[in-house]
Amino acid sequence: MSQQTTPRLPSLLDNDFYKFTMQHGVVKLFPRAKARYQFINRGKHRFPAGFGDALRKAVDAMGALSLSLEEKRWLATTCPYLDPTYLDFLQGFCYDPGEVTIAQKGEELSVEVEGYWYRTILWEVPLMALISELYYTQNGLERVNNEEVTRISREKIEKYRALDVKIAEFGTRRRHSYEVHQVVVEALKKYGSGTFVGTSNVHLARINGVKPIGTHAHEWFMFHAARYGFKMANVLGLQHWVDVYRGDLGIALSDTYTTNVFLQQFDKMFSKLFDGVRHDSSDPVAFAEQTIGHYRRLGIDPLSKTIIFSDALNYDKVARIAEYCRDKIGFSFGIGTNFTNDVGLQAMNMVIKMTETQPEGDQWIPVVKLSDERGKYTGQPEMIELAKKLLQID
């Protein structure tokens, strides 16, 4: 493989914002916890000979990344809710490639991560971005040129602007490449005035002068289930988030153990404290209806709250959601792969998920996710069944 086709991340901040906000929480609350992650090839993609070696080379290069003083100052100004002690920690942080194990057998790829949670939490997103970019270069798959990427992005954001909706870009994990990602964000900013509100990618937010967007992911609640039990996962996950951020970053992820269970525990205190919720699985209009009903039953005006929709969105889905939600509840959208990998090739279907955690002591505990779509369940079958039984999920 040539040097030109080995992807290199441009910055330690080339990652999704919620990874840093969660890392901040982990450093404060769970500094001794450990975690394991695993690559899941949902799309049954076949990897050519030498792919694992090329990925190893790209991962090893990440050990040289560090936070610059300019980046640190930008974070301090843009994200004042991040403690100065955390920013000092991040300035001294370096990826340890030894935490990542990569193996290839024939056309099958195995990637596993293990280490302290406060460190390993940053691996998921850049690993997926590297796997995606390498997949196209190693297979010799040609994309449309940058001018066409700009045209496609402009056309999309102008259509969304005509809908009078707010759009953020959430596409780091399955982007075609860093180059495409950069072109997309530049186009969204240039042509999306009043509609484009920011990006989940912290590095691209900084260099393009837009807002970094994100709060937390499923693994936050998955860890809490392992540490405190399934019945307490949502409650303590939310409480600990409030303890760290004191009212900032107030969008709660609702579907780690189904929305029904979440809303049972999202009581009046949490419903008032949090600005809104994020939708990541199931029918979005049915979710909006359920959420609006929840707020109304608690005597809370739904128009004072927001739903962030982020599940495999495209124009038709956004239009349908906006038509239902308008004048009923606040809403905005986070669009990922449809922005960053619409280049004439099939996007990869893959995830990297936390599989086990060691909250304290020496015992590793398997973690699971039970989203509103059964096809998105992750974890060991016996642990999934235990969670369903304890949470009374059919």
Side-chain angles (χ1 to χ4, degrees):
M1 184 179 178
S2 67
Q3 183 70 24
Q4 287 75 20
T5 56
T6 302
R8 293 286 188 270
L9 299 187
S11 166
L12 184 74
L13 297 183
D14 185 14
N15 206 326
D16 278 343
F17 188 46
Y18 67 44
K19 285 295 180 174
F20 296 106
T21 56
M22 288 192 297
Q23 185 186 48
H24 178 213
V26 174
V27 167
K28 290 189 75 165
L29 301 178
F30 310 108
R32 297 184 184 277
K34 294 182 179 180
R36 289 172 175 160
Y37 298 80
Q38 187 173 21
F39 170 69
I40 303 171
N41 184 7
R42 286 177 173 170
K44 309 297 182 186
H45 304 287
R46 298 177 177 180
F47 296 91
F51 188 95
D53 293 336
L55 180 61
R56 177 79 265 168
K57 187 176 180 181
V59 167
D60 288 346
M62 290 175 63
L65 294 172
S66 63
L67 190 76
S68 71
L69 183 58
E70 183 182 1
E71 289 172 327
K72 181 184 177 183
R73 288 171 175 163
W74 177 83
L75 282 172
T77 301
T78 307
C79 313
Y81 39 76
L82 297 176
D83 292 343
T85 50
Y86 170 69
L87 297 181
D88 284 346
F89 157 82
L90 197 61
Q91 188 177 24
F93 179 89
C94 293
Y95 281 107
D96 177 3
E99 294 167 345
V100 183
T101 302
I102 301 168
Q104 183 173 358
K105 185 177 181 180
E107 295 179 325
E108 295 183 2
L109 179 71
S110 169
V111 181
E112 297 177 344
V113 180
E114 180 178 331
Y116 282 106
W117 189 25
Y118 75 85
R119 298 185 49 80
T120 56
I121 198 168
L122 291 189
W123 278 112
E124 174 195 348
V125 174
L127 274 176
M128 289 179 66
L130 288 172
I131 290 169
S132 183
E133 184 163 352
L134 271 169
Y135 180 79
Y136 299 111
T137 57
Q138 287 269 297
N139 282 296
L141 301 173
E142 297 291 329
R143 65 171 176 90
V144 299
N145 61 33
N146 288 350
E147 290 74 19
E148 182 66 4
V149 172
T150 297
R151 187 197 67 78
I152 292 169
S153 301
R154 177 180 182 176
E155 182 179 279
K156 287 179 179 178
I157 199 64
E158 288 180 345
K159 287 179 69 177
Y160 288 129
R161 188 164 60 186
L163 282 179
D164 190 26
V165 297
K166 302 298 183 185
I167 300 288
E169 180 276 308
F170 280 11
T172 305
R173 295 185 301 164
R174 300 181 189 90
R175 68 191 183 193
H176 173 275
S177 58
Y178 171 72
E179 182 179 1
V180 166
H181 198 176
Q182 187 172 17
V183 170
V184 167
V185 173
E186 288 173 354
L188 295 177
K189 180 186 178 184
K190 183 176 181 179
Y191 300 109
S193 178
T195 293
F196 177 58
V197 296
T199 172
S200 64
N201 188 286
V202 186
H203 168 66
L204 290 175
R206 187 183 76 83
I207 66 173
N208 287 283
V210 299
K211 183 179 179 180
I213 295 178
T215 53
H216 48 244
H218 295 104
E219 69 181 282
W220 182 256
F221 298 97
M222 292 160 70
F223 170 85
H224 278 77
R227 175 66 178 83
Y228 302 105
F230 290 112
K231 286 181 176 271
M232 297 301 294
N234 286 323
V235 171
L236 288 176
L238 294 171
Q239 185 61 58
H240 284 148
W241 197 256
V242 172
D243 291 345
V244 172
Y245 287 108
R246 313 300 298 173
D248 283 311
L249 302 179
I251 298 295
L253 182 59
S254 60
D255 72 333
T256 308
Y257 299 109
T258 76
T259 296
N260 287 338
V261 170
F262 175 85
L263 291 179
Q264 289 169 15
Q265 301 171 332
F266 196 55
D267 63 11
K268 192 165 189 174
M269 181 187 75
F270 287 130
S271 294
K272 284 194 167 186
L273 280 174
F274 281 83
D275 300 321
V277 295
R278 179 160 73 90
H279 169 265
D280 197 52
S281 62
S282 78
D283 180 80
V285 170
F287 174 86
E289 183 179 21
Q290 184 179 16
T291 303
I292 290 167
H294 173 78
Y295 283 128
R296 285 176 175 164
R297 282 190 297 275
L298 295 176
I300 298 170
D301 181 4
L303 285 171
S304 70
K305 300 297 179 179
T306 298
I307 301 175
I308 309 294
F309 294 91
S310 61
D311 181 28
L313 296 175
N314 56 35
Y315 176 83
D316 291 338
K317 287 179 73 173
V318 168
R320 173 172 166 254
I321 294 165
E323 182 180 12
Y324 178 82
C325 290
R326 203 176 304 276
D327 300 323
K328 297 187 183 79
I329 193 168
F331 60 95
S332 65
F333 302 90
I335 299 178
T337 310
N338 188 256
F339 274 145
T340 60
N341 206 342
D342 187 5
V343 295
L345 300 169
Q346 183 178 3
M348 296 189 72
N349 182 6
M350 59 170 175
V351 293
I352 291 177
K353 289 293 182 185
M354 180 191 283
T355 56
E356 294 178 274
T357 182
Q358 191 183 87
E360 56 183 2
D362 298 324
Q363 184 180 7
W364 285 95
I365 301 173
V367 297
V368 300
K369 181 187 78 165
L370 307 181
S371 73
D372 292 321
E373 295 176 26
R374 290 180 181 270
K376 288 188 172 182
Y377 283 7
T378 63
Q380 296 181 6
E382 58 270 25
M383 191 62 78
I384 289 174
E385 290 305 312
L386 176 61
K388 288 170 64 178
K389 182 177 181 180
L390 288 171
L391 297 173
Q392 299 181 345
I393 298 171
D394 296 331

